[in-house]
Amino acid sequence: METWAESALVRLRNVSGRSGGARRLVVQLLGRQDCCLSAQEIHDRVHAGGARVGIASVYRALDGLDELGLVQRVDLGDGISRFERADPGGDHHHHLVCDDCGKVEPFEDPALEAAIVSVAGGRGYDVAAHDVVLRGACGDCRPAP
Amino acid sequence: METWAESALVRLRNVSGRSGGARRLVVQLLGRQDCCLSAQEIHDRVHAGGARVGIASVYRALDGLDELGLVQRVDLGDGISRFERADPGGDHHHHLVCDDCGKVEPFEDPALEAAIVSVAGGRGYDVAAHDVVLRGACGDCRPAP
DNA sequence: GTTCCTGCAAAATTTTTGCATCAGT
DNA sequence: ACTGATGCAAAAATTTTGCAGGAAC
């Protein structure tokens, strides 16, 4: 189950020749997450684990991972960048955000993916990444029926 | 063709009782745009028109418009918030961003909209807004075929 | 030993807030 | 006149950069 983290570390080493402590901690944390985290959240959780990691190193690690396509940057519309691991296998989800309680939940939908591929092709684009965010009231926060 | 701007100003006045100069300029500018603008771009263009408008007023105007659902906030993934008018009639587009040249172009796709509605319904969400961003290489920047 | 990563601090950017003043009703 | 919007400046929050020191090779 740690395959993403392992392969990410290997790829980082192939590029730079190193893989220091901060990067490894960030990669391992992201490998354990099911959904996106902000840089601040990553920093806090790594600190909670007892490590002395600077926020700048978190950003630098995320930047390197993003360049290699190992993480996907997710913008939920609140001005904060979040990151989650990008599975090379194509497993891949998007996000529902509740405007009331702030809850974020992932979803996948083949019809949505198909529509995106079709749009991209029709416009002559070679789409490398795509991001879908739905905002609204979740079942719990919606005015009771 | 100025119906959006007019109705937006009316709705702002209904809420606050006023519609001062800065808000009117921002609304009128957005009414003339076909795609999203950043707060800084709005500020610059309003200034170019000869008006003395503070950037804070631009943000405040956008904030008020967003609360009323009159503009949609768009995150293109570069950490800058952009805004565009939200047509109540349902006319509604998304964005293709070229990673190479930075070009942004709008698109619409009924199949995509249908898939989104279907996902939202299946998850019990009452979706008020949704945002789709596709990133990749546009026809011009793509390695020549 | 060399090279790149790391942590801290400072800078840059984007967005928000405080406050005196101005403008719309 | 009253009330809220506005502009300027300062603050806050997020992200980037500089640099000395340390860790991996």
Side-chain angles (χ1 to χ4, degrees), chain A residues 17-40:
Chain A
R18 300 300 143 84
S19 78
R23 286 220 286 219
R24 186 169 48 248
L25 288 167
V26 170
V27 167
Q28 287 171 347
L29 176 62
L30 283 174
R32 289 195 299 272
Q33 303 304 315
D34 288 328
C35 203
C36 51
L37 290 178
S38 69
Q40 195 65 57

Side-chain angles (χ1 to χ4, degrees), chain B residues 121-145:
Chain B
R123 291 307 210 101
Y125 262 74
D126 180 16
V127 167
H130 59 268
D131 205 2
V132 178
V133 178
L134 311 188
R135 258 163 293 162
C138 72
D140 296 339
C141 296
R142 200 158 49 154

Side-chain angles (χ1 to χ4, degrees), chain A residues 13 17-18 56 59-60 79-81:
Chain A
R13 271 190 31 185
R18 300 300 143 84
Y59 278 104
R60 280 185 286 231
I80 301 177
S81 293

Side-chain angles (χ1 to χ4, degrees), chain B residues 8-21 23-24 60-61 64-65 67-68:
Chain B
L9 286 173
V10 169
R11 291 196 53 193
L12 283 175
R13 271 193 28 187
N14 287 348
V15 170
S16 68
R18 301 298 146 84
S19 76
R23 286 223 283 220
R24 186 169 50 248
R60 281 184 286 229
L65 289 165
E67 264 172 47
L68 292 173

Side-chain angles (χ1 to χ4, degrees), chain A residues 35-54:
Chain A
C35 203
C36 51
L37 290 178
S38 69
Q40 195 65 57
E41 285 169 337
I42 293 169
H43 179 246
D44 292 347
R45 295 196 190 193
V46 171
H47 265 227
R52 181 166 297 290
V53 173

